[in-house]
Amino acid sequence: MNSKHQPHRCRRSHTALGQPKAWAIGEVRDGQLAASLLGGLGIDDAIARITRINGTPEVRAYLTDALGSAIALARQNQSVETGYAYSPYGQTRKAGVAD
């Protein structure tokens, strides 16, 4: 297994037997890791967003449509936290809590 780390972007990717497996990006606020975005095989294939609230990790999963566009962000208890809609030209509208 190979790992690549890009410090200027806080991105890490993994490969096994020469095939990409996953990627992760860290979001830094005030010098601290505030959130992580876990992705799959594709460059825009976001799977989950992990944040820490009062020291406890909170995992939110991205729900996608048939084209792979994120249409909602769901909490661990399966409730939808944020919904996303797109105009025909790709402009995004958010409904609910937007982090």
Side-chain angles (χ1 to χ4, degrees):
M1 181 184 243
N2 272 336
S3 293
K4 291 184 181 176
H5 180 62
Q6 299 170 345
H8 60 286
R9 291 189 205 146
C10 298
R11 183 176 181 135
R12 182 176 291 274
S13 63
H14 297 285
T15 59
L17 301 174
Q19 298 297 316
K21 295 297 177 192
W23 53 265
I25 297 176
E27 182 181 319
V28 178
R29 291 185 199 153
D30 300 323
Q32 299 290 321
L33 181 64
S36 297
L37 185 64
L38 174 65
L41 295 178
I43 187 114
D44 293 329
D45 189 14
I47 296 171
R49 178 178 168 84
I50 302 141
T51 57
R52 287 199 173 271
I53 298 177
N54 298 326
T56 304
E58 296 283 332
V59 178
R60 292 171 177 86
Y62 284 95
L63 307 177
T64 59
D65 62 12
L67 298 175
S69 301
I71 57 170
L73 190 59
R75 294 186 178 122
Q76 289 174 293
N77 65 6
Q78 300 179 0
S79 65
V80 173
E81 179 176 271
T82 306
Y84 301 98
Y86 303 93
S87 75
Y89 297 101
Q91 294 173 321
T92 306
R93 291 181 309 190
K94 295 179 186 176
V97 179
D99 190 291

